[in-house]
Amino acid sequence: MYTQKVMDHFTNPRNVGEIENASGVGTVGNAKCGDIMRIYLDINADGVINDVKFKTFGCGAAVATSSMATELVKGKTVQEALQVTNKAVMEALDGLPPVKVHCSLLAEEAIHAALWDYAEKNNMKIEGLEKPKSDIHEDEEEVEY
Amino acid sequence: MYTQKVMDHFTNPRNVGEIENASGVGTVGNAKCGDIMRIYLDINADGVINDVKFKTFGCGAAVATSSMATELVKGKTVQEALQVTNKAVMEALDGLPPVKVHCSLLAEEAIHAALWDYAEKNNMKIEGLEKPKSDIHEDEEEVEY
Amino acid sequence: MEKKIYLDNAATTKTRPEVVEAMLPYFTELYGNPSSVYEYASQNKKAIDDARTQTAKVIGADPSEIYFTASGTEADNWAIKATVEAYADKGNHIITSKIEHHAILHTCEYLAKHGYEVTYVDVDENGIIKLDELEKAIRPTTVLITVMFANNEIGTIQPIKEIGELAKKNKILFHTDAVQAYGQVPIDVKELNIDMLSASAHKLNGPKGIGLLYIRKGVKIRSYVHGGGQERQRRAGTENVPGIVGFGKAAEIALATIKEREEKECKLRELLMKRVLSEVPFVRVNGDKVRRLPNNINFSFQFIEGESLLIMLDMKNICASSGSACTSGSLDPSHVLLAIGLPHEIAHGSLRLTVSDEITEEEINYTVDQIKEIVEKLREMSPLYEDFMKKSN
Amino acid sequence: MEKKIYLDNAATTKTRPEVVEAMLPYFTELYGNPSSVYEYASQNKKAIDDARTQTAKVIGADPSEIYFTASGTEADNWAIKATVEAYADKGNHIITSKIEHHAILHTCEYLAKHGYEVTYVDVDENGIIKLDELEKAIRPTTVLITVMFANNEIGTIQPIKEIGELAKKNKILFHTDAVQAYGQVPIDVKELNIDMLSASAHKLNGPKGIGLLYIRKGVKIRSYVHGGGQERQRRAGTENVPGIVGFGKAAEIALATIKEREEKECKLRELLMKRVLSEVPFVRVNGDKVRRLPNNINFSFQFIEGESLLIMLDMKNICASSGSACTSGSLDPSHVLLAIGLPHEIAHGSLRLTVSDEITEEEINYTVDQIKEIVEKLREMSPLYEDFMKKSN
Ligand SMILES: Cc1ncc(COP(=O)(O)O)c(C=O)c1O
Ligand SMILES: Cc1ncc(COP(=O)(O)O)c(C=O)c1O
């Protein structure tokens, strides 16, 4: 079902954990869908993401996309991190099954939520960042019987 | 599908043939149903069936019931022959598949038709013999879709 | 002959040993449910995908257009019932032919009892559908044309391309029951404008209990069997993995051998026809001489009845059929033979012989010898023959 | 462990080697069409009759009351759709439960879109249908009650006898989806007043692609798959002879071993439950403790999600399931777990383990060890667990 990369990031997830007194924390998703992601960012004075951690409740793809997303934003500036799209996460994982694409959207959204929190805490506005939705719902194909 | 007796009478049918100037000939059934039976009777002055022959167009059961019916009436008086029912024919054959029961009715009817012809030719009335129908249709079970 | 001579390959076929071989691991080793998450089951998912590719190739379809069913019959039911439901807004009229298999006819009769309208188009004396009648039958409310690819009794192959064009021109969906043709004659669904096509594995040396419906991408169709999300939400029920694998293997072999089988079978067919026509009097061949399935021969022997003939052939170790297998037990003669204009008593005297590439010329010659003898014997006891001879004299 | 530990026997089972053995001759030797006239095919007819007897015995039915289908799903579709059609004069109302398999639920939803009315009766926290609600749901227009014999996810066995009596008293037909129960627990259709019952061979070590519908003599029911006259005119399509034979053999073995399997499986189940409940915190067992299928265990582990758990178990060579196999891929948690009152996040963390008599205690112990480790690992990365721990401190 999953690519080797996904399995690798699922079984050996990078950056699992918490950051105390994080610069920004974002939690997205909900239990109804079965996916909750929380991202902790430690951003230094230059606006560079020094450290990032995550916790995820969800399927293999949810864990793997969280792990990969944290890898992709680590060491980046806030503006660079904003450019990390769900597509980039998916590509870095060599793809996801169609039913799991929403996990990558959720990972993107979790980063944005953490950045939003960081911006709010610092009373700043990050160019190009909109208030994240906490839910990602893809339009599921309507099945007719 | 068929009993050994049926197979025996089908593969080695008794009394196949014609009787020239027969005392009575009866033909019943029709091509639509796929069964036509013709019985020839040679009846002597004492009203005893000296000889009997048949020709049948039809399935294995049709041939076997014709053969058995001729065996059962041979040497009998007209009145005795009238008592040879389709049940008797079936029993003598150790039974027929349900869809083939109509063949035995046809055989009974063929005997009756030949007797009727004999009676007409001789301007007599045979006690208990009604004008035979040439068609035997069982009520087929109506199949609902 | 000691050995059984199986000449009923239109009824069903022997499952090829290679097909059984391919199926076996999926019973006791790779038995997982393909819908499961674990790796073990993903091998089954792959096996199904492979079979989808193998079966799609036979008709030039995309694998994603193949949906496995339990039989040709289910595929036929599905195609018709679900289509008329999906296109109810457009109309309630179905066009079909008079010589379809019961899987189509009884489904249409069922729908006719439930508010749908059905036109049964006539065929000519060779069993070919009358295209002008078909065209005239089209109404604004027509939602489906369903005409079989090749007939199971008389082997006639229909002008599918012309029907496909007619359907396309009139924006009507076209389904074909190709249960007898799939894997036996070349089919290209795109070239022939076929929107839906039914097939059944056991007709091409695959296992019984597995069929398929090809549904062209873009065709709106509902489910027929409701439940779990198998077959991309379109056909519910735990996948019959061994059956699907067997169908795939059978399709692969059929496609690879289609030419050589056709050649071999046509040769046997011609030998059989030629000998019977020249050595047995009062016999006709039913169905088209040219547009015909390679393996099918259908005779009508005058003055005798088919079942007796079958049983006597059986006693000589020859398996044959009269009319379609499903209707045996019924008293009416085949609706196909009546539709091509045969009178009842001649229709009753019909014999279908369907060869396979395992049959030898020797077996065909033996079969003809037996037919000659048996027909003679049965005519001797036939009142119809007696009448005929007396009239002729 | 090197060897795969298959704990997903509710999804599907390994076909027993004896069953495959019994099927094999019907592929390459006795492959004739059972509807044929010749003697060769009559052996197949007999094989089918034998399988009808074998499968009937399991539920105390008469062989003539057994109709073979392609799956449990088809049997469910047939029972419901054809019944409501046959009894349309009486009404259009169906009663079922909230925890049925999708084969029932989606069929009911389909009918609801086509003018029928459906009541979905609640279950209690153990998954047992609320009989008082069921009784209240009955209307003069109710034509069918369909309640599953045993649930496929949580293993709860329903009070079938009481439902049967209720149905009888109210002169309503009673169908039960016994796909999970057939051959696993004793069933007597007469004693339980069951009018129709669905079963599927692949759940009892038979082959995939073959099921049955028991229809009590006297029940008026239409065909669902239309076509040839197979299954006494009620279910069309060339018979899947090997599948039917395999079902017969599997049923025979299941009936003969029902007691010993129950004992063995219950023991394994209790070992597994006891260890997990005592060694893993924040876990619950779903379903009834007593009225339960011998082979079924269903846990909910708080704070973690089922699919991750499954994949990690898979990497330890353990095949398990979360919710029903058919719904995997779907984002919603199991409707069954929601119906017994679990909140979404707990329903998402469920694990179904279904044992067979081939499983050893050693394998169960290994499985528990793995579950412990994996659950701990997943909780460490769970934000829900983090929140919970912070709140508790
Ligand atoms: C309770 C229940 N009903 C119906 C089915 C459907 O059976 P099948 O997949 O054989 O069609 C299943 C299993 O998938 C089941 O567990
Ligand atoms: C033309 C045609 N259509 C449909 C069918 C039905 O196929 P199955 O028996 O596999 O359901 C058959 C054969 O029986 C057939 O010959």
Side-chain angles (χ1 to χ4, degrees), chain C residues 33 230 236-239, chain D residues 10-11 70-74 76 101 103-104 148 150-152 177-180 200-203 210 326 352:
Chain C
N33 191 321
Q230 293 91 350
T238 302
E239 294 90 342
Chain D
S71 63
T73 300
E74 185 193 323
D76 285 343
H101 189 269
I104 299 287
M148 70 200 318
N151 184 269
N152 45 305
D177 173 346
V179 169
Q180 289 291 334
S200 186
H202 73 92
K203 306 283 187 184
I210 189 81
C326 309
R352 179 184 74 180

Side-chain angles (χ1 to χ4, degrees), chain A residues 19-134:
Chain A
I19 296 175
E20 283 194 39
N21 305 315
S23 320
V25 184
T27 304
V28 295
N30 66 45
K32 189 156 185 292
C33 301
D35 294 306
I36 299 175
M37 287 186 196
R38 179 173 297 163
I39 300 259
Y40 296 84
L41 295 175
D42 176 22
I43 301 176
N44 69 13
D46 301 332
V48 172
I49 298 172
N50 258 343
D51 198 10
V52 49
K53 297 275 181 202
F54 83 90
K55 289 222 170 165
T56 288
F57 164 89
C59 62
V63 173
T65 51
S66 310
S67 167
M68 183 54 87
T70 56
E71 283 285 277
L72 290 180
V73 301
K74 205 178 196 172
K76 298 252 164 83
T77 65
V78 167
Q79 273 305 327
E80 284 167 346
L82 260 186
Q83 309 307 317
V84 174
T85 60
N86 81 302
K87 281 225 180 87
V89 174
M90 283 210 288
E91 275 168 23
L93 289 168
D94 295 341
L96 285 176
V99 288
K100 298 296 187 182
V101 172
H102 72 280
C103 292
S104 64
L105 287 164
L106 207 60
E108 176 187 319
E109 210 63 10
I111 302 283
H112 291 191
L115 289 172
W116 184 266
D117 182 49
Y118 161 73
E120 280 204 326
K121 273 182 182 154
N122 293 283
N123 265 322
M124 59 194 266
K125 210 180 136 22
I126 298 176
E127 192 79 32
L129 179 66
E130 282 167 45
K131 191 174 162 61
K133 299 161 280 179
S134 77

Side-chain angles (χ1 to χ4, degrees), chain C residues 79-85 91-97 100 104-105 107-112 115-121 134 137-139 141-147 172-173 175:
Chain C
I80 300 179
K81 291 178 185 166
T83 299
V84 298
E85 201 179 296
N92 68 342
H93 181 238
I94 304 164
I95 301 175
T96 186
S97 86
E100 298 297 312
I104 299 286
L105 288 182
T107 300
C108 286
E109 285 161 20
Y110 165 82
L111 289 173
Y116 292 90
E117 289 172 20
V118 186
T119 303
Y120 302 91
V121 177
L134 176 61
I138 293 173
R139 310 178 191 167
T141 54
T142 307
V143 293
L144 180 69
I145 295 174
T146 173
V147 175
I172 298 166
L173 286 180
H175 166 256

